[in-house]
Amino acid sequence: MAEEVVLLDFWRSPFGMRVRIALAEKGIKYEYKEEDLRNKSPLLLQMNPVHKKIPVLIHKGKPICESLIVVQYIEEVWNDRNPLLPSDPYKRAQARFWADYVDKKIYDLGSKFRTSRGEEKKAAKKELIEALKLLEEQLGDKTYFGGNNLGFVDIALVPFYAWFKANDAFGPLNIERKCPKFVAWAKRCMQKESVSKSLPDQNKVYEFIVERRKKLGIE
Amino acid sequence: MAKEYGEVQLFGVGGSPYARRVRIALEMKGVQYTYFEEDLRNKSDLLLKYNPVHKKVPVLVHNGKPLAESLVILEYIDDTWGNHPILPQQPYDRALAQFWSRFIDDKCLPAITKAAFTANKEERDNSAEESLEALQFLENELKHKFFGGETIGLVDIAAGFIAFWLPAIEEAVGLKLLSCEKFPKLHKWGQEFTNHPVVKENLPPRDKLVGFFKARYASITASK
C-alpha cells in the first residue's frame, strides 16, 4: 500500500512539512524521497514540469503539486478519518482564505526579512509581525485554528514556526515577545505527534544554523 | 426563488477580471444577487468592513457573511449551489483544476501584466518570455473545447483574463503574445469562451478596457 503514495520533498521545506503533517494526521503510509534541490531528480522534473518544485505527492503514479492543493487532495481521498477541513461551506471557505493568506504573506515576508537589509528589512519585519498578529486574532481563544483539532490553517501555518527557528530568525524577529499567542499555539501543535514527527531533523537544523552563522561571520 | 439562495451581494469593479469571474459563476448557476460597483479610489465603508484584510474586490456576502479572494469565492459558490458544477467531482481532477487556476493567478497574470506595464525594457522582455512559456503550458493542457471539458469550469473562468483582458492589453500597448500561430488551441478557446452565452453578458465594454490600459501604459512610460 505504501508504494501507492510517494512524497518528493526536501527536509527543510515548510511546504513539504504541510504535506507530511496531513499524511500523518490521516495515518497514511508513504514512501519519502528526499530531493537535492541543486540537482533535481528526473522523477521530480517529470512529475512537476511546470514548477519543478517540491512537495509533489504521487498517488497511484499520478502527481499532485502545490502543498495546499495536496493537503486538500489528501482530505478528499482519505475522507473517512480526521477531517482537516470543516464540513460547512462557509467555514471551509474561511479556512481556504486564511491558508491562502499564509501563502501570500508569511513565506514571502519571511524570505524578504532574511535576505534584505536596512529599511527593506525593517519594513518586512514590521509587515510580518502584523501578519502574525492578524492570524493571532483569527485564532482567538481556540486551541487550534481548526477548533479542537488540527485543521487546514494550522497545517498551513505551523511549518513556518519551525522554519523561522531553522533559519535562526527568532532572535532578530523577536517573535516570542511580539507574538506570544502564535508561539503558544505553535507549541501546542508541536505536542501533536503528526507535527513533531514532521519537523525537520533538529540535529540537521542545528548544523545548518552553525554553517549559516559561519558564512555570515557571526559568532 | 430568491429565498432559496438567501441574500447574496457582490462588491466588484466593472473592469476587474476577478470580479467578473464571480459574476459568471453566479449567473451560470442562476443565483440572484445584488451587485455593488466600487470606486477603488474611494472604497465604500461596506467594502472595508467586509474585506478588512485585503480591502479589495471581489467580495461576496452571503446572508451577511463575507468572503474574499476570487478563487476561494468560486469554490464556495460551487459548494453552496450544486447545479452547473464548475469543479470536477473526482479528487484528482479537482486538484488539477485548482492547480491550473492557481497557475493562472500566480504565473500568467503577473507575467502578462509585467510584460505590458513595466517601464524597463529588459524587464518587459523577460516578462514577455515568461508569459509565452506560461501560455504554452496552458496550450498543452487544453484537450477539449474548454478546460472544463464540454462546458466551462473553474479553469476557464479563471483564464477569462487571457480570453478578453489580454487581447485588450495587447491592443492598448502594442504587444503580441496570444498569436493564433503559436497558440492555435488557446486562441480558439478564447473565442469560444467569450462567445459563451453567460460569459458574453458578463464582459466589460472592450473599448473602455482598451482606453483604461492605454492610460495605464501612458503613465508608466511617461515616468521614464
Side-chain angles (χ1 to χ4, degrees):
Chain A
M1 249 343 207
E3 315 78 59
E4 275 203 348
V5 185
V6 178
L7 175 63
L8 306 182
D9 199 352
F10 177 64
W11 70 283
R12 239 174 43 241
S13 164
F15 304 101
M17 193 173 159
R18 290 169 168 175
V19 179
R20 287 175 240 149
I21 296 172
L23 290 166
E25 278 288 301
K26 298 276 189 181
I28 298 164
K29 294 212 184 321
Y30 63 99
E31 186 191 344
Y32 179 92
K33 283 198 159 134
E34 180 75 19
E35 282 285 331
D36 177 357
L37 297 183
R38 293 155 305 176
N39 187 19
K40 294 174 182 177
S41 72
L43 181 62
L44 174 59
L45 299 177
Q46 180 201 350
M47 291 287 149
N48 191 358
V50 176
H51 300 298
K52 306 176 175 57
K53 286 181 173 175
I54 54 91
V56 179
L57 190 78
I58 308 173
H59 185 211
K60 297 185 183 170
K62 296 200 284 192
I64 303 105
C65 310
E66 299 298 287
S67 60
L68 292 182
I69 295 176
V70 177
V71 174
Q72 286 179 88
Y73 175 81
I74 289 168
E75 166 74 350
E76 286 173 23
V77 173
W78 288 275
N79 57 3
D80 55 344
R81 61 195 100 152
N82 273 23
L84 305 174
L85 275 144
S87 51
D88 171 69
Y90 183 72
K91 293 197 174 121
R92 196 153 60 230
Q94 285 290 76
R96 288 193 175 118
F97 174 85
W98 286 107
D100 175 68
Y101 180 82
V102 173
D103 260 4
K104 283 190 161 89
K105 292 279 177 187
I106 308 299
Y107 181 73
D108 283 351
L109 287 172
S111 295
K112 228 181 176 179
F113 172 75
R114 247 193 337 111
T115 55
S116 60
R117 289 197 194 92
E119 281 312 306
E120 236 195 286
K121 193 180 180 85
K122 256 191 183 166
K125 177 177 176 175
K126 184 165 180 275
E127 260 197 82
L128 181 56
I129 298 291
E130 275 168 15
L132 290 175
K133 282 187 172 307
L134 190 58
L135 287 162
E136 283 185 326
E137 245 182 77
Q138 272 315 292
L139 178 65
D141 291 322
K142 299 197 292 289
T143 312
Y144 306 105
F145 287 90
N148 292 327
N149 289 308
L150 280 189
F152 195 54
V153 182
D154 302 278
I155 293 176
L157 183 58
V158 78
F160 290 101
Y161 176 79
W163 188 69
F164 288 141
K165 268 191 136 169
N167 282 295
D168 204 20
F170 266 27
L173 274 175
N174 222 337
I175 286 190
E176 307 257 350
R177 196 166 58 85
K178 296 215 164 147
C179 307
K181 261 183 124 178
F182 168 71
V183 174
W185 158 82
K187 288 184 171 161
R188 281 198 295 276
C189 292
M190 297 296 178
Q191 305 206 328
K192 289 236 146 195
E193 207 190 322
S194 59
V195 177
S196 59
K197 258 178 28 174
S198 306
L199 282 173
D201 182 314
Q202 293 303 290
N203 290 328
K204 274 172 109 174
V205 167
Y206 179 71
E207 273 169 32
F208 175 73
I209 291 180
V210 168
E211 270 308 304
R212 157 82 56 81
R213 283 181 168 176
K214 265 197 209 145
K215 270 195 198 152
L216 295 174
I218 304 170
E219 283 289 83
Chain B
M1 224 10 182
K3 278 233 171 95
E4 251 181 66
Y5 299 112
E7 203 198 349
V8 183
Q9 299 165 308
L10 176 64
F11 294 78
V13 158
S16 160
Y18 305 101
R20 291 287 176 177
R21 291 173 174 177
V22 179
R23 298 189 77 162
I24 289 170
L26 290 170
E27 308 244 345
M28 267 183 75
K29 292 179 181 265
V31 177
Q32 313 268 33
Y33 65 99
T34 314
Y35 177 75
F36 295 88
E37 176 79 13
E38 282 286 326
D39 176 357
L40 295 182
R41 294 155 304 178
N42 188 17
K43 295 173 184 176
S44 73
D45 290 339
L46 273 183
L47 176 64
L48 298 175
K49 169 180 151 192
Y50 286 136
N51 190 2
V53 177
H54 299 298
K55 304 176 175 57
K56 287 179 173 178
V57 296
V59 175
L60 185 81
V61 185
H62 187 203
N63 293 330
K65 298 195 285 194
L67 271 179
E69 296 302 294
S70 63
L71 295 182
V72 172
I73 296 172
L74 290 177
E75 290 210 41
Y76 173 76
I77 289 172
D78 215 38
D79 277 350
T80 307
W81 295 289
N83 61 330
H84 290 285
I86 56 179
L87 271 136
Q89 286 285 55
Q90 291 304 316
Y92 188 73
D93 299 327
R94 290 170 77 86
L96 280 182
Q98 289 171 329
F99 176 86
W100 288 110
S101 12
R102 281 282 154 200
F103 175 77
I104 287 163
D105 271 4
D106 295 343
K107 291 276 175 202
C108 293
L109 267 64
I112 290 169
T113 307
K114 260 178 138 172
F117 303 113
T118 312
N120 181 298
K121 181 169 193 309
E122 199 186 327
E123 269 182 61
R124 269 207 312 275
D125 290 343
N126 287 337
S127 298
E129 266 304 306
E130 262 190 70
S131 305
L132 292 175
E133 281 169 20
L135 291 173
Q136 189 61 56
F137 278 119
L138 290 175
E139 172 80 9
N140 297 344
E141 189 55 24
L142 194 51
K143 295 180 175 79
H144 304 282
K145 185 173 177 191
F146 297 112
F147 289 98
E150 288 307 301
T151 53
I152 66 175
L154 181 73
V155 182
D156 301 279
I157 296 174
F161 179 89
I162 294 166
F164 191 76
W165 277 259
L166 173 55
I169 290 175
E170 287 176 328
E171 186 182 322
V173 319
L175 184 65
K176 195 61 195 162
L177 292 172
L178 186 61
S179 68
C180 55
E181 295 83 36
K182 277 208 179 111
F183 307 108
K185 290 192 283 179
L186 207 53
H187 198 260
K188 181 155 191 273
W189 164 84
Q191 289 168 337
E192 297 279 2
F193 182 76
T194 49
N195 280 319
H196 183 283
V198 173
V199 176
K200 216 160 45 170
E201 300 302 313
N202 276 296
L203 293 170
R206 195 171 191 277
D207 48 4
K208 240 182 141 185
L209 203 60
V210 174
F212 169 79
F213 287 133
K214 275 191 170 146
R216 189 170 166 190
Y217 183 68
S219 71
I220 306 264
T221 47
S223 54
K224 256 208 274 200

